[in-house]
Amino acid sequence: MVIEAEQRFTLPHPQGREAALAFVRDAGVALARVRFLRALLGNTECVTGELVVPVPVLGEVDLPFRSLLNVTPDGAVLVPQPLSGERAWVEVAGQASVDGAGVVAFEFHFRAHLHTPQAEGWGGAAFEKMARAAAARTLERVAGELPEGIGEAMGADASG
């Protein structure tokens, strides 16, 4: 089962363009306050961790991820890396572009890979449909929390 969610938003860095560029080019700093991430390890080259998603019927699902961080002239890009040997994992892709005033435009794309038992018969198909819908709603809600978490990290970055 593959479930996707996207999130786009803008945030102004209180210290302007150079501070915003430094912020988005260090994934560990930028994502430090995002509540649904666990075991986050990030720096100026990559970020790894687990996206924790509470899914009705399935319970809490920990989706490991690994993304490379590539610096661009106006920000940074997260490039998802495939994970092998996992029953469930997520691709985390993203882009952060900083304008001349230090306003950052963020774009994130999550693509969760969940292996579920083979659906058998009408009941199995109905269960799979229900689990897929619940997981999709939950992933959308999780993505919706990004602006708050990154905004908190940006505020902490600006205050020193």
Side-chain angles (χ1 to χ4, degrees), residues 3 37 49-53 62-67 80-83 86 88-93 109-114 139:
I3 300 163
L37 296 179
E50 296 175 347
L51 187 117
V52 180
V53 183
D62 298 348
L63 303 172
F65 69 92
R66 182 174 194 277
S67 298
Q81 302 299 296
L83 297 179
E86 298 286 347
W89 60 285
V90 65
E91 296 175 41
V92 178
H109 183 94
F110 299 96
R111 188 170 196 220
H113 301 264
L114 306 170
L139 191 57

Side-chain angles (χ1 to χ4, degrees), residues 2 8 12 23 31 43 47 54 64 75 81 84 104 108 110 117 134 146 156:
V2 175
R8 291 182 171 91
F23 177 79
L31 299 173
N43 54 37
V47 62
Q81 302 299 296
S84 59
V104 185
F108 286 93
F110 299 96
L146 274 171

